[in-house]
Amino acid sequence: MDLTTTAATSAQPTGFTAWVIGVMETLGGPGAGMIIALENLFPPIPSELILPLAGFTASRGDMSLIGAILWTTLGSLVGALALHWLGAKLGRERTRAIAAKLPLVKLSDVDKTEAWFAKHGVKAVFFGRMIPLFRSFISLPAGVEQMRLSTFALFTTLGSLVWNTIFVLAGYLLGQHWYLVEQYAGLLSRAVVITSVLTVVVFVALRIRNNRRDQAIAEAPTVQFARVQTDHPTEEIRRIR
């Protein structure tokens, strides 16, 4: 068996991949949109795999390329709106109450996050749609901060349209070699996840160290200095002319 045959064999869809293709072949564009909506609600489902499969399915004639792009973008919007609604239901005060009960989390962290989102909310929603893992989570603070629904929907749609078009088009052009898109995009996803984990680890380590230092300062005995008395009046320093 030569390398070409081996690659072709390894590219045969199985398991979850075969199920995704089956749904798209049966339902067409709406099936692709439904799976992408689920991907937004359950981040472990990788859009970097689903979107090229939508392009691959379109290349086989089971749906149009434009339909694949539009339906997956609609699915992204539906999933994001569901999380936005959840964030709005939680509300600012409830979110702060939950944060106050979490270990290693201070309300000052929540205040800083709110201030950052108030300043960069639109850009965060737009570019967040193109960052693995964060594309789902960015919808929650948008809901908590009561970002205007029309603004949220607009920039979610635009960001999703850019991201989805790139991956759907790549899967369409590569055809049977769609798996190459998932392989290289998977590296990006893993890099983002690893960076996020390291950031959290560093944050936790610094927060524990600072908490221990603050506790040590609070528990340290207060040293009271004796009052210094003097019998000499304060001397007035004459101005030198």
Side-chain angles (χ1 to χ4, degrees):
M1 182 180 293
D2 58 18
L3 293 177
T4 304
T5 305
T6 302
T9 302
S10 63
Q12 293 300 317
T14 58
F16 177 75
T17 301
W19 176 79
V20 170
I21 293 177
V23 171
M24 293 181 182
E25 288 177 341
T26 303
L27 301 179
M34 179 188 70
I35 297 174
I36 286 296
L38 292 175
E39 178 267 333
N40 277 261
L41 297 174
F42 303 98
I45 301 177
S47 68
E48 295 84 355
L49 169 62
I50 298 171
L51 293 172
L53 287 177
F56 167 65
T57 305
S59 71
R60 301 195 336 183
D62 294 298
M63 59 179 164
S64 68
L65 176 61
I66 297 299
I69 294 173
L70 293 181
W71 277 106
T72 54
T73 300
L74 179 60
S76 298
L77 176 61
V78 170
L81 287 175
L83 291 176
H84 181 280
W85 173 84
L86 178 61
K89 279 295 181 182
L90 285 175
R92 183 173 182 270
E93 295 305 321
R94 190 176 300 175
T95 303
R96 290 176 65 84
I98 294 173
K101 297 178 181 178
L102 295 177
L104 305 179
V105 175
K106 298 180 179 179
L107 288 180
S108 59
D109 298 328
V110 179
D111 295 335
K112 291 176 183 177
T113 302
E114 291 175 353
W116 181 89
F117 195 86
K119 184 177 181 180
H120 304 286
V122 170
K123 291 185 287 186
V125 169
F126 177 76
F127 291 107
R129 303 305 305 174
M130 307 176 204
I131 302 176
L133 193 64
F134 293 100
R135 71 172 57 91
S136 296
F137 296 139
I138 196 63
S139 302
L140 289 171
V144 170
E145 294 302 313
Q146 299 292 323
M147 173 179 277
R148 183 177 298 177
L149 193 59
S150 58
T151 301
F152 175 78
L154 173 62
F155 285 94
T156 294
T157 300
L158 292 176
S160 299
L161 182 61
V162 173
W163 179 262
N164 294 359
T165 299
I166 292 173
F167 280 88
V168 171
L169 189 59
Y172 182 86
L173 295 176
L174 287 172
Q176 292 289 343
H177 300 287
W178 56 266
Y179 59 92
L180 295 176
V181 183
E182 193 273 335
Q183 288 178 1
Y184 288 106
L187 295 176
L188 172 62
S189 297
R190 283 190 287 272
V192 171
V193 171
I194 291 173
T195 301
S196 302
V197 170
L198 290 176
T199 302
V200 171
V201 169
V202 171
F203 169 80
V204 171
L206 291 176
R207 181 53 52 84
I208 291 176
R209 187 193 68 177
N210 292 337
N211 286 349
R212 288 177 177 174
R213 182 190 62 189
D214 294 341
Q215 184 178 4
I217 294 174
E219 294 177 352
T222 303
V223 179
Q224 185 173 2
F225 294 96
R227 185 175 180 181
V228 179
Q229 297 181 350
T230 178
D231 295 331
H232 302 284
T234 303
E235 295 183 358
E236 182 179 356
I237 301 177
R238 298 181 180 178
R239 176 183 293 183
I240 301 177
R241 297 179 181 273

